[in-house]
């Protein structure tokens, strides 16, 4: 049996979990990333109010990254807010724009901005 390490770096803050995503997101790892993000959110369900997906370290992303965001959005319970971080001129930002995901999920330029944007219950 092959072991795949957790594809995300996790940072917990009060009521918030920040997931730094890998350098590449594509067909080869999209399903594993979704499973890791969903499992992380489920494990923190009682205290989680905000989930931040950080794409600032992601250099390549195809439509699987957009699908990941959309699937996570639908997986989360209604009381959990989802925010995405992607640098303005990055590939993830362009993919999220072209696929229309930005209409449904707020995208911020950096982590500090995403955490400071309003309050989360």
């Amino acid at each position: 049996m092959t072991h795949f390490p957790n594809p995300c770096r996790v940072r917990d803050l009060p009521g918030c979990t920040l997931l730094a995503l890998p350098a590449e997101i594509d067909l080869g790892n999209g399903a594993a990333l979704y499973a890791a993000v969903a499992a992380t959110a489920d494990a923190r369900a009682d205290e989680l109010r905000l989930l931040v997906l950080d794409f600032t370290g992601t250099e390549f992303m195809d439509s699987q990254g957009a699908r990941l965001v959309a699937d996570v959005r639908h997986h989360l319970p209604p009381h959990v807010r989802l925010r995405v971080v992607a640098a303005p001129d990055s590939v993830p930002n362009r993919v999220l724009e072209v696929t229309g995901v930005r209409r449904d999920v707020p995208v911020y330029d950096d982590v500090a901005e995403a955490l400071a944007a309003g309050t989360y219950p």
Side-chain angles (χ1 to χ4, degrees), residues 28-115:
N29 67 354
L33 281 172
Y34 172 73
V37 172
T40 299
D42 290 346
R44 293 156 175 77
D46 291 340
E47 70 268 359
L48 187 62
R49 299 292 170 257
L50 174 66
L51 180 66
V52 178
L53 301 180
D54 181 3
F55 288 92
T56 56
T58 304
E59 298 170 6
F60 174 80
M61 181 171 107
D62 62 14
S63 62
Q64 290 300 309
R67 181 178 180 156
L68 168 72
V69 174
D71 288 349
V72 167
R73 179 176 164 261
H74 288 96
H75 177 82
L76 293 174
H79 70 275
V80 178
R81 296 181 192 267
L82 176 63
R83 294 183 184 150
V84 171
V85 177
D89 294 327
S90 67
V91 171
N93 196 340
R94 288 187 292 258
V95 170
L96 295 170
E97 179 70 35
V98 168
T99 58
V101 172
R102 290 183 63 105
R103 289 179 297 214
D104 300 324
V105 178
V107 178
Y108 297 91
D109 295 344
D110 59 53
V111 171
E113 183 182 343
L115 294 174

